[in-house]
Protein backbone atom coordinates (compact mmCIF):
# COMPACT_ATOMS: atom_id res chain seq x y z
CA UNK A 1 0.00 0.00 0.00
CA UNK A 2 2.72 2.43 0.99
CA UNK A 3 4.67 1.68 -2.16
CA UNK A 4 1.58 2.26 -4.26
CA UNK A 5 1.13 5.65 -2.65
CA UNK A 6 4.69 6.44 -3.56
CA UNK A 7 4.18 5.28 -7.14
CA UNK A 8 1.07 7.40 -7.61
CA UNK A 9 2.70 10.45 -6.06
CA UNK A 10 5.76 10.02 -8.30
CA UNK A 11 3.62 9.60 -11.39
CA UNK A 12 1.56 12.68 -10.51
CA UNK A 13 4.76 14.66 -10.08
CA UNK A 14 6.31 13.48 -13.36
CA UNK A 15 3.30 13.47 -15.67
CA UNK A 16 2.00 16.46 -17.61
CA UNK A 17 -1.53 15.04 -17.75
CA UNK A 18 -3.20 12.37 -15.58
CA UNK A 19 -5.89 9.94 -16.58
CA UNK A 20 -8.11 8.63 -13.82
CA UNK A 21 -9.45 5.44 -15.34
CA UNK A 22 -12.78 4.42 -13.79
CA UNK A 23 -15.13 1.56 -14.58
CA UNK A 24 -18.17 3.10 -16.34
CA UNK A 25 -20.42 0.49 -14.69
CA UNK A 26 -19.70 1.89 -11.21
CA UNK A 27 -17.83 5.19 -11.59
CA UNK A 28 -18.51 6.53 -8.11
CA UNK A 29 -16.98 3.51 -6.40
CA UNK A 30 -13.94 3.54 -8.67
CA UNK A 31 -13.12 7.24 -8.36
CA UNK A 32 -10.23 7.65 -5.98
CA UNK A 33 -10.59 10.79 -3.88
CA UNK A 34 -7.04 10.50 -2.52
CA UNK A 35 -5.59 10.51 -6.02
CA UNK A 36 -7.87 13.35 -7.12
CA UNK A 37 -6.74 15.38 -4.12
CA UNK A 38 -3.06 14.73 -4.88
CA UNK A 39 -3.57 15.73 -8.51
CA UNK A 40 -5.34 18.94 -7.47
CA UNK A 41 -2.52 19.76 -5.04
CA UNK A 42 0.05 19.23 -7.78
CA UNK A 43 -2.07 21.49 -10.04
CA UNK A 44 -1.91 18.96 -12.85
CA UNK A 45 -4.66 18.67 -15.46
CA UNK A 46 -6.58 15.40 -15.39
CA UNK A 47 -9.20 13.58 -17.41
CA UNK A 48 -11.72 11.12 -16.04
CA UNK A 49 -11.79 8.16 -18.42
CA UNK A 50 -15.02 6.16 -18.19
CA UNK A 51 -13.74 2.88 -19.53
CA UNK A 52 -15.76 -0.28 -20.39
CA UNK A 53 -18.53 1.89 -21.81
CA UNK A 54 -19.48 -1.04 -24.07
CA UNK A 55 -21.05 -2.47 -20.89
CA UNK A 56 -23.18 0.58 -20.14
CA UNK A 57 -26.33 1.87 -21.85
CA UNK A 58 -26.17 5.19 -23.69
CA UNK A 59 -28.58 6.85 -21.26
CA UNK A 60 -26.58 5.80 -18.21
CA UNK A 61 -23.38 7.01 -19.85
CA UNK A 62 -24.83 10.43 -20.69
CA UNK A 63 -26.10 10.83 -17.13
CA UNK A 64 -22.72 9.88 -15.67
CA UNK A 65 -20.81 12.06 -18.09
CA UNK A 66 -22.82 15.19 -17.34
CA UNK A 67 -22.40 14.58 -13.62
CA UNK A 68 -18.64 13.95 -13.72
CA UNK A 69 -17.91 16.71 -16.24
CA UNK A 70 -18.49 19.17 -13.40
CA UNK A 71 -15.42 17.72 -11.70
CA UNK A 72 -13.06 17.23 -14.63
CA UNK A 73 -13.16 16.73 -18.40
CA UNK A 74 -14.77 13.33 -18.87
CA UNK A 75 -14.34 11.04 -21.86
CA UNK A 76 -15.93 7.68 -22.36
CA UNK A 77 -13.98 4.92 -23.91
CA UNK A 78 -14.36 1.28 -24.72
CA UNK A 79 -10.91 -0.22 -24.91
CA UNK A 80 -12.55 -3.39 -26.12
CA UNK A 81 -14.19 -1.76 -29.14
CA UNK A 82 -11.51 0.91 -29.36
CA UNK A 83 -14.16 3.62 -29.32
CA UNK A 84 -13.61 7.06 -27.84
CA UNK A 85 -9.85 6.80 -28.26
CA UNK A 86 -9.52 9.60 -30.82
CA UNK A 87 -11.50 11.94 -28.58
CA UNK A 88 -9.29 10.96 -25.65
CA UNK A 89 -6.12 11.60 -27.63
CA UNK A 90 -7.41 15.05 -28.66
CA UNK A 91 -8.44 15.85 -25.11
CA UNK A 92 -4.95 14.95 -23.88
CA UNK A 93 -3.33 17.25 -26.46
CA UNK A 94 -5.83 20.01 -25.68
CA UNK A 95 -5.50 20.07 -21.91
CA UNK A 96 -1.73 19.52 -21.89
CA UNK A 97 -1.47 22.68 -23.95
CA UNK A 98 2.22 22.07 -24.67
CA UNK A 99 2.82 22.96 -28.27
CA UNK A 100 5.40 20.79 -29.94
CA UNK A 101 6.59 19.14 -26.74
CA UNK A 102 6.33 15.50 -25.82
CA UNK A 103 3.49 14.89 -23.35
CA UNK A 104 3.85 12.42 -20.51
CA UNK A 105 0.48 10.93 -19.52
CA UNK A 106 0.04 8.99 -16.27
CA UNK A 107 -2.70 6.39 -16.08
CA UNK A 108 -4.03 5.89 -12.55
CA UNK A 109 -6.98 4.10 -10.99
CA UNK A 110 -8.35 1.13 -9.12
CA UNK A 111 -7.30 -2.43 -10.05
CA UNK A 112 -8.86 -3.93 -13.15
CA UNK A 113 -10.56 -0.75 -14.38
CA UNK A 114 -8.60 -1.06 -17.63
CA UNK A 115 -5.67 1.32 -17.17
CA UNK A 116 -3.40 -0.82 -19.35
CA UNK A 117 -6.18 -1.53 -21.88
CA UNK A 118 -6.88 2.19 -22.35
CA UNK A 119 -3.22 2.79 -23.14
CA UNK A 120 -3.26 -0.06 -25.66
CA UNK A 121 -6.47 1.21 -27.26
CA UNK A 122 -5.07 4.71 -27.68
CA UNK A 123 -1.73 3.52 -29.01
CA UNK A 124 -3.34 0.83 -31.16
CA UNK A 125 -0.77 -1.65 -29.97
CA UNK A 126 -0.56 -4.16 -27.18
CA UNK A 127 2.29 -2.51 -25.43
CA UNK A 128 0.88 -2.49 -21.92
CA UNK A 129 0.16 -5.96 -20.61
CA UNK A 130 -3.40 -6.68 -19.47
CA UNK A 131 -5.26 -9.45 -17.69
CA UNK A 132 -8.70 -10.24 -16.29
CA UNK A 133 -6.92 -11.05 -13.03
CA UNK A 134 -6.59 -7.80 -11.17
CA UNK A 135 -3.25 -6.71 -9.83
CA UNK A 136 -1.63 -7.66 -13.10
CA UNK A 137 0.45 -4.57 -13.71
CA UNK A 138 3.15 -4.63 -11.08
CA UNK A 139 5.67 -1.86 -11.59
CA UNK A 140 5.50 1.35 -13.56
CA UNK A 141 5.85 0.91 -17.31
CA UNK A 142 6.55 3.56 -19.95
CA UNK A 143 4.63 3.13 -23.20
CA UNK A 144 5.43 5.15 -26.27
CA UNK A 145 2.27 6.17 -28.09
CA UNK A 146 3.90 7.89 -31.06
CA UNK A 147 3.04 11.43 -32.16
CA UNK A 148 4.07 13.26 -29.01
CA UNK A 149 2.37 11.15 -26.35
CA UNK A 150 4.07 8.83 -23.89
CA UNK A 151 2.10 6.91 -21.25
CA UNK A 152 3.04 5.74 -17.80
CA UNK A 153 1.14 2.59 -16.87
CA UNK A 154 0.77 1.90 -13.15
CA UNK A 155 -0.49 -0.90 -10.95
CA UNK A 156 -3.93 -0.29 -9.49
CA UNK A 157 -4.69 -0.54 -5.81
CA UNK A 158 -7.75 0.06 -3.68
CA UNK A 159 -7.12 2.88 -1.23
CA UNK A 160 -6.53 1.93 2.33
CA UNK A 161 -9.76 1.66 4.29
CA UNK A 162 -11.92 0.96 1.29
CA UNK A 163 -11.06 -2.69 1.14
CA UNK A 164 -14.51 -4.16 1.66
CA UNK A 165 -15.80 -7.30 0.02
CA UNK A 166 -18.33 -5.52 -2.15
CA UNK A 167 -15.70 -3.40 -3.85
CA UNK A 168 -13.45 -6.46 -4.21
CA UNK A 169 -16.32 -8.35 -5.82
CA UNK A 170 -17.31 -5.52 -8.14
CA UNK A 171 -13.70 -4.95 -9.18
CA UNK A 172 -12.99 -8.66 -9.63
CA UNK A 173 -10.16 -8.39 -7.12
CA UNK A 174 -11.64 -11.57 -5.65
CA UNK A 175 -13.61 -14.07 -7.68
CA UNK A 176 -16.85 -15.61 -6.45
CA UNK A 177 -15.11 -18.58 -4.86
CA UNK A 178 -12.97 -16.29 -2.68
CA UNK A 179 -15.74 -14.01 -1.48
CA UNK A 180 -17.35 -14.81 1.84
CA UNK A 181 -20.68 -13.11 1.37
CA UNK A 182 -21.39 -14.24 -2.20
CA UNK A 183 -25.12 -13.64 -1.79
CA UNK A 184 -24.55 -10.11 -0.44
CA UNK A 185 -22.21 -9.22 -3.31
CA UNK A 186 -24.66 -10.64 -5.89
CA UNK A 187 -27.50 -8.63 -4.31
CA UNK A 188 -25.39 -5.50 -4.60
CA UNK A 189 -24.77 -6.19 -8.31
CA UNK A 190 -28.52 -6.71 -8.81
CA UNK A 191 -29.29 -3.43 -7.04
CA UNK A 192 -26.73 -1.56 -9.14
CA UNK A 193 -28.11 -2.84 -12.42
CA UNK A 194 -31.75 -2.38 -11.37
CA UNK A 195 -31.09 1.25 -10.46
CA UNK A 196 -29.72 2.05 -13.91
CA UNK A 197 -30.93 -0.49 -16.43
CA UNK A 198 -33.47 -3.01 -15.16
CA UNK A 199 -34.36 -4.18 -18.67
CA UNK A 200 -30.79 -5.33 -19.28
CA UNK A 201 -31.01 -7.64 -16.26
CA UNK A 202 -34.45 -8.91 -17.31
CA UNK A 203 -33.37 -9.76 -20.82
CA UNK A 204 -30.04 -11.31 -19.79
CA UNK A 205 -31.65 -13.72 -17.30
CA UNK A 206 -35.06 -14.01 -18.98
CA UNK A 207 -36.97 -12.82 -15.92
CA UNK A 208 -39.62 -10.18 -15.27
CA UNK A 209 -38.84 -7.80 -12.45
CA UNK A 210 -41.66 -5.88 -10.83
CA UNK A 211 -41.67 -5.00 -7.16
CA UNK A 212 -39.25 -7.64 -5.88
CA UNK A 213 -36.28 -6.76 -3.70
CA UNK A 214 -32.76 -7.81 -4.68
CA UNK A 215 -32.93 -11.07 -2.72
CA UNK A 216 -36.17 -12.05 -4.42
CA UNK A 217 -34.66 -11.19 -7.80
CA UNK A 218 -31.69 -13.43 -6.96
CA UNK A 219 -34.12 -16.27 -6.21
CA UNK A 220 -36.00 -15.56 -9.42
CA UNK A 221 -32.78 -15.77 -11.44
CA UNK A 222 -31.85 -19.01 -9.64
CA UNK A 223 -35.22 -20.56 -10.39
CA UNK A 224 -35.10 -19.45 -14.01
CA UNK A 225 -31.59 -20.94 -14.33
CA UNK A 226 -32.88 -24.16 -12.77
CA UNK A 227 -30.49 -23.95 -9.82
CA UNK A 228 -32.54 -26.01 -7.37
CA UNK A 229 -31.82 -27.87 -4.16
CA UNK A 230 -33.94 -30.60 -2.64
CA UNK A 231 -37.69 -29.92 -2.39
CA UNK A 232 -37.40 -27.52 -5.33
CA UNK A 233 -35.85 -24.79 -3.18
CA UNK A 234 -33.67 -22.31 -5.02
CA UNK A 235 -29.91 -22.69 -4.56
CA UNK A 236 -29.21 -19.00 -3.90
CA UNK A 237 -25.46 -19.46 -3.53
CA UNK A 238 -25.19 -21.03 -6.95
CA UNK A 239 -27.30 -18.22 -8.43
CA UNK A 240 -25.10 -15.66 -6.65
CA UNK A 241 -21.92 -17.22 -8.03
CA UNK A 242 -23.33 -17.10 -11.54
CA UNK A 243 -24.32 -13.43 -11.22
CA UNK A 244 -20.87 -12.49 -9.84
CA UNK A 245 -19.15 -14.39 -12.66
CA UNK A 246 -21.34 -12.75 -15.30
CA UNK A 247 -20.53 -9.33 -13.84
CA UNK A 248 -16.80 -9.96 -13.48
CA UNK A 249 -16.46 -11.38 -16.98
CA UNK A 250 -18.23 -8.34 -18.43
CA UNK A 251 -21.32 -10.16 -19.65
CA UNK A 252 -23.83 -7.97 -17.79
CA UNK A 253 -24.79 -4.54 -19.10
CA UNK A 254 -25.63 -1.65 -16.80
N1 LIG B 1 -15.80 -5.12 -21.77
C1 LIG B 1 -14.66 -4.46 -21.60
N2 LIG B 1 -13.64 -5.04 -20.90
C2 LIG B 1 -12.51 -4.32 -20.75
C3 LIG B 1 -12.36 -3.01 -21.26
N3 LIG B 1 -11.12 -2.55 -20.91
C4 LIG B 1 -10.55 -3.55 -20.21
N4 LIG B 1 -11.37 -4.61 -20.10
C5 LIG B 1 -11.09 -5.88 -19.41
O1 LIG B 1 -10.85 -5.60 -18.04
C6 LIG B 1 -9.80 -6.42 -17.52
C7 LIG B 1 -8.72 -5.59 -16.89
O2 LIG B 1 -8.03 -4.84 -17.87
P1 LIG B 1 -6.56 -4.27 -17.62
O3 LIG B 1 -6.27 -3.31 -18.73
O4 LIG B 1 -5.61 -5.34 -17.34
O5 LIG B 1 -6.85 -3.44 -16.27
P2 LIG B 1 -5.81 -2.65 -15.35
O6 LIG B 1 -6.55 -1.49 -14.76
O7 LIG B 1 -4.57 -2.34 -16.11
O8 LIG B 1 -5.56 -3.74 -14.23
P3 LIG B 1 -4.31 -3.86 -13.18
O9 LIG B 1 -3.06 -3.60 -13.93
O10 LIG B 1 -4.43 -5.27 -12.71
O11 LIG B 1 -4.61 -2.86 -12.12
C8 LIG B 1 -9.33 -7.28 -18.72
O12 LIG B 1 -10.00 -8.52 -18.66
C9 LIG B 1 -9.78 -6.49 -19.92
O13 LIG B 1 -10.01 -7.31 -21.04
C10 LIG B 1 -13.46 -2.43 -22.01
O14 LIG B 1 -13.43 -1.30 -22.50
N5 LIG B 1 -14.56 -3.21 -22.12
MG1 LIG C 1 -2.64 -2.86 -15.76
Amino acid sequence: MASYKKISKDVIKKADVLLEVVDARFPDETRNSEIERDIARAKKPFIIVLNKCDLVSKQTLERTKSRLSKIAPTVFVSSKDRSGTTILRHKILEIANMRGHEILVGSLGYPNTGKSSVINAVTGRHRARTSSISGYTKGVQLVNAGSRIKFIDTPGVIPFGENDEYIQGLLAVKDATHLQDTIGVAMMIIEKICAENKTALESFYHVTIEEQDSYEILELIGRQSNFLKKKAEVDETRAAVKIINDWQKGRLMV
Side-chain angles (χ1 to χ4, degrees):
M1 198 61 69
S3 80
Y4 176 72
K5 243 192 133 60
K6 186 173 169 353
I7 288 177
S8 73
K9 278 192 186 293
D10 279 355
V11 169
I12 292 169
K13 205 160 140 192
K14 274 194 203 128
D16 303 303
V17 174
L18 281 312
L19 304 182
E20 184 182 27
V21 181
V22 303
D23 190 317
R25 295 173 297 171
F26 53 123
D28 298 317
E29 291 88 340
T30 46
R31 273 182 58 205
N32 186 328
S33 53
E34 258 175 54
I35 283 180
E36 288 182 17
R37 209 170 34 235
D38 288 344
I39 295 173
R41 274 202 200 115
K43 298 196 171 59
K44 294 284 170 85
F46 86 106
I47 300 169
I48 299 176
V49 180
L50 290 167
N51 185 41
K52 308 199 186 185
C53 75
D54 55 291
L55 298 174
V56 178
S57 77
K58 236 189 150 57
Q59 296 93 303
T60 309
L61 270 182
E62 290 300 341
R63 269 201 303 273
T64 311
K65 190 181 170 184
S66 67
R67 195 158 50 82
L68 295 186
S69 294
K70 295 186 185 107
I71 295 145
T74 304
V75 175
F76 42 78
V77 169
S78 165
S79 306
K80 189 178 167 208
D81 303 342
R82 291 194 53 198
S83 62
T85 50
T86 309
I87 296 173
L88 177 58
R89 188 182 264 279
H90 284 146
K91 202 80 205 165
I92 291 169
L93 294 170
E94 180 195 320
I95 73 164
N97 195 19
M98 295 167 38
R99 261 186 217 139
H101 289 88
E102 185 164 81
I103 303 163
L104 198 54
V105 182
S107 178
L108 297 169
Y110 274 53
N112 235 12
T113 52
K115 297 173 295 301
S116 304
S117 300
V118 166
I119 294 176
N120 289 335
V122 173
T123 59
R125 288 172 224 146
H126 286 277
R127 289 281 174 82
R129 307 217 300 152
T130 65
S131 161
S132 64
I133 299 152
S134 80
Y136 193 74
T137 305
K138 298 286 191 244
V140 172
Q141 194 194 344
L142 259 186
V143 183
N144 210 326
S147 66
R148 294 182 51 206
I149 300 177
K150 206 174 241 174
F151 284 99
I152 316 174
D153 193 15
T154 66
V157 162
I158 305 177
F160 189 71
E162 254 190 75
N163 235 338
D164 69 57
E165 269 226 309
Y166 302 104
I167 288 290
Q168 293 178 337
L170 289 175
L171 284 168
V173 171
K174 278 190 182 169
D175 67 23
T177 58
H178 290 95
L179 290 166
Q180 290 188 344
D181 184 11
T182 33
I183 293 176
V185 174
M187 281 165 62
M188 170 120 169
I189 293 170
I190 290 170
E191 273 162 33
K192 280 215 132 333
I193 303 176
C194 280
E196 302 282 357
N197 191 356
K198 191 179 77 157
T199 358
L201 196 67
E202 291 182 315
S203 64
F204 189 81
Y205 291 115
H206 308 290
V207 293
T208 308
I209 299 166
E210 280 153 354
E211 297 294 309
Q212 302 95 323
D213 64 26
S214 54
Y215 185 75
E216 290 161 340
I217 297 170
L218 175 77
E219 283 190 306
L220 199 65
I221 293 170
R223 193 167 295 284
Q224 177 66 22
S225 311
N226 228 356
F227 293 163
L228 303 176
K229 296 189 284 198
K230 279 187 211 134
K231 295 184 190 155
E233 264 178 56
V234 174
D235 186 341
E236 306 99 335
T237 307
R238 202 170 153 209
V241 168
K242 176 170 169 52
I243 292 163
I244 294 169
N245 284 339
D246 289 336
W247 170 274
Q248 293 190 343
K249 299 276 180 234
R251 291 191 280 261
L252 281 169
M253 289 275 299
V254 174

